[in-house]
Amino acid sequence: MGQGTGQPRIVDFDALGRNDTARVGGKNASLGEMVSKLGARGVHVPPGFATTADAYRAFLAHNGLEAMLSATLADLRGSSMSVQEAGRRIRQVILGGVWPADLAAEIEQAYASLSARAGVDEVDVAVRSSATAEDLPDASFAGQQESFLNVRGPRALLDACRRCFASLFTDRAISYRQAKGFDHLSVALSVGVQLMVRADLAGAGVMFSIDTETGFDRVVLVDAAWGLGENVVQGAVDPDAYQVFKPLLNDPAVVPVIDKRRGGKLQKMVYADSGPPTRNVPTSRAEREAFVLSDQEILTLARWACVIEAHYGCPMDMEWAKDGRTGELFIVQARPETVQSRRDNAALEHYRIGQHGPVLVSGLSIGGAIVTAPVLVIDSPREMDRFVDGAVLVTGKTDPDWVPVMKRAAALVTDHGGRTSHAAIVSRELGLPAVVGTGNATHVLHDERTVTVSCAEGDQGYVYDGPAEFRRELHALDRVPETRTRVLLNLANPAAAFRWWRLPADGVGLARMEFVIGNHIKVHPMALAHFETLTDAEARGEIDRLTRGYADRTEYFVDRLARGLARIAAVQYPNPVIVRMSDFKTNEYANLVGGAEFEPAEANPMLGFRGAARYYSPRYREGFALECRAIRRLRRELGFGNVIVMIPFCRSVTEADRVLAEMAAHGLERGVDGLEVYVMCEIPSNVVLAEAFAARFDGFSIGSNDLTQLTLGVDRDSAALAGLFDEQDPAVRWMIRHVIEAARAAGAKVGLCGQAPSDHPEFARFLVECGIDSISVSPDSFLAVKAQVAAAERAGAGAGAGYGKPED
């Protein structure tokens, strides 16, 4: 038994729980909670023990340090001593302290027991600090105290514990407590001693049970790198990044990994043979080109994340490791997520970029804001005195020593790091827009250069040269009216889809496949199918680079397309998500990598080889087969059975039959496995023969832009004819009313995707009056159109027209 409270000063994890934060800090209390409560639910946590707050205070008392600490901290409060001087003085006296003999013996005995449990004389352990005020809902304490890995032997363990005690008074920890209003002397330091997972022989990383950028609460994010996990936490490597869709995790028939990105992983932390216990070594080319985790391992970690989140009742931030000797996965830390889970969900903030200069560097976007400011490149926290408040801080990577200067920055740009790195975590907590993992920002950017940092365009963040036009929008979500007419979203960018998850939409009415191909894949599918005959050497080189790691180049297209669409489908699951098959024009297809060799030159691509005509043509049939493979994978393997397929620019019923037969040949047969197939209504023939098209398709989506163009004979891209292009022209309205009536009479669903309802309230009223089933609009127009539709319904528009929400 120890001093003070009469409680044990050394406690095994399995005797601790979440209520023991005051004794062992949040980190160790959480480890104990998981060991004692979640082991039976399959969550693996390495065993270990913790020293308590009483042990820390006994160490201070034995060395007579309380008075010195009080006096030094009083000088700090009185501004007669700097943070750096106070911290240095306190750390020196703690590191010079000696252990009480009885406390040292207790630690050594606990270590001997843990070694015996592992079946060795002296087991290697991780020694981590756990402050008694850390991991609270409003304070992450990310990296404020020290951790030591590959510690072996009682003498090395006692030394590591003493260094943990001293780390309670690092400059960064002192500054952080001051900022959060914690009394330094009321915070104690517990040390967690945990069996090392031999991740140096495999990999490790970080995991969140919520999307860290948008707060989307139905995904698990997993970052992974080779070797020990410190490199991921510190942002020293660019890790693999995986996203898993929670609602489908318990379906054994599907693998809902909706995003997989291979990181650079240029180095890994391993055990050292001599000197410091760990060191970084370069990874092999094979390691850089391989994923750290298999799909099944990703799913196991994601399921554990859901179990841990459900147990704690809040989104969680976790660290995991894989043992290279046994292949076992472990959770080695868990704490509450402290940013998105505390955000006000009553309003949706959105930044919109306008005119801007060329891209200088890009990386992962953290936060959703846009900032224009001058650059300051800082190599080390020692240079922070020359930092100018309100500048863009550019550096290689950050650790907790950078926090004081990060607080003074307008934005942060780093060479290295992933979404779960220190730079990302602290930037979110500070509300600081950041672009991390650019690779070369410190080489490209220079002091005093004015740049615009944009984190408002999805997963990818950009640093543009010079000032840019942008605006901030705030959308209230607390008074969105209910409507009988469904209002859906037009989405195209997988990287930005999660930003709109809070909108109470009824589904996605238009997901443009060509946008995903153009921005997420970049390669013409026929150039992948016929790579060996491709003559463009530059295109071959670019395709080799993009498809690295894929044994089959066409698999690159299928995999990227399926997962890109999955991120869009996840936002509205289980509501319907209508994916339109590719509708590039030939000039747009030709701009894809390798595309020029496969596309004819056309005088009028808008009316040329586009849409349905391509799908059965020898010129593109193999490309369409890859699109079908991606949709089949999206629905069957990833699990998004809510996806509806839509065929664009289908000129005739004969063409409809040929496309449907082509789809069926590639495993997408209408009606099988619940597959619905819609057709775009954008050609007058679709209206004239609406009954015949309704016999072949489950629904129509009116494309008002092309329908207006072809009804009025007006080139929608012609500036000279812009005044004649009017979606509200009586002829266009007749077309729309007629196809809505014909579709409803035939029992087919009918919606409209276009800008007109957003721009013209009277057009929304017209559609409601016609009895349309759904209207699909851009996310920034959703709330306005929803209000217009509700007003039209309240006014009795369409009364007696028989409109309403159809049976799904």
Side-chain angles (χ1 to χ4, degrees), residues 139-361:
S140 74
F141 279 73
Q144 295 304 313
Q145 282 81 45
E146 299 291 351
S147 296
F148 304 96
L149 305 179
N150 187 22
V151 176
R152 185 183 295 108
R155 183 174 176 179
L157 174 58
L158 290 171
D159 181 58
C161 290
R162 183 166 38 224
R163 291 161 69 190
C164 284
F165 286 170
S167 75
L168 189 58
F169 293 95
T170 58
D171 299 349
R172 65 203 184 215
I174 294 171
S175 298
Y176 195 88
R177 287 196 296 274
Q178 286 178 322
K180 290 292 182 181
F182 290 106
D183 176 14
H184 298 291
L185 293 177
S186 69
V187 178
L189 199 289
S190 165
V191 179
V193 179
Q194 189 176 37
L195 199 69
M196 273 291 292
V197 177
R198 291 301 302 270
D200 60 307
L201 304 175
V206 178
M207 175 166 63
F208 282 85
S209 66
I210 189 173
D211 181 52
T212 51
E213 302 313 309
T214 66
F216 185 41
D217 57 4
R218 297 203 290 171
V219 289
V220 174
L221 308 187
V222 183
D223 277 5
W226 299 112
L228 301 172
E230 296 300 295
N231 279 339
V232 178
V233 176
Q234 295 169 5
V237 294
D238 302 320
D240 291 347
Y242 316 117
Q243 294 181 359
V244 185
F245 189 54
K246 292 180 188 175
L248 296 173
L249 262 175
N250 293 323
D251 184 344
V254 301
V255 181
V257 181
I258 62 174
D259 197 27
K260 288 178 70 173
R261 302 188 195 186
R262 190 178 290 103
K265 309 185 296 287
L266 295 179
Q267 62 181 9
K268 63 179 179 179
M269 186 177 287
V270 299
Y271 281 15
D273 296 328
S274 60
T278 61
R279 65 189 181 104
N280 274 314
V281 297
T283 51
S284 67
R285 180 174 178 179
E287 287 173 321
R288 294 193 295 273
E289 294 184 359
F291 285 113
V292 174
L293 294 172
S294 69
D295 283 352
Q296 289 306 313
E297 288 170 334
I298 297 167
L299 295 182
T300 294
L301 288 173
R303 292 187 183 108
W304 288 356
C306 292
V307 170
I308 295 168
E309 178 184 62
H311 181 75
Y312 282 87
C314 64
M316 298 294 288
D317 166 1
M318 296 146 282
E319 294 180 27
W320 63 271
K322 179 181 176 181
D323 194 301
R325 297 169 304 183
T326 66
E328 277 188 285
L329 292 167
F330 293 92
I331 300 294
V332 295
Q333 285 192 46
R335 60 184 74 84
E337 191 273 345
T338 58
V339 178
Q340 291 294 344
S341 56
R342 298 177 61 80
R343 184 158 289 175
D344 180 9
N345 290 335
L348 180 65
E349 181 184 67
H350 180 63
Y351 282 76
R352 183 175 299 280
I353 190 84
Q355 291 291 323
H356 57 75
V359 176
L360 299 175
V361 296

Side-chain angles (χ1 to χ4, degrees), residues 667-692:
L668 293 179
E669 185 173 355
R670 179 188 170 208
V672 176
D673 293 329
L675 176 65
E676 292 186 40
V677 183
Y678 285 15
V679 65
M680 288 290 292
C681 177
E682 51 193 342
I683 306 171
S685 61
N686 302 142
V687 179
V688 174
L689 298 177
E691 186 177 353

Side-chain angles (χ1 to χ4, degrees), residues 706-726:
D706 269 331
L707 188 60
T708 299
Q709 173 178 246
L710 296 175
T711 299
L712 300 180
V714 175
D715 181 353
R716 73 189 208 194
D717 292 336
S718 170
L721 300 178
L724 297 176
F725 188 90
D726 182 7

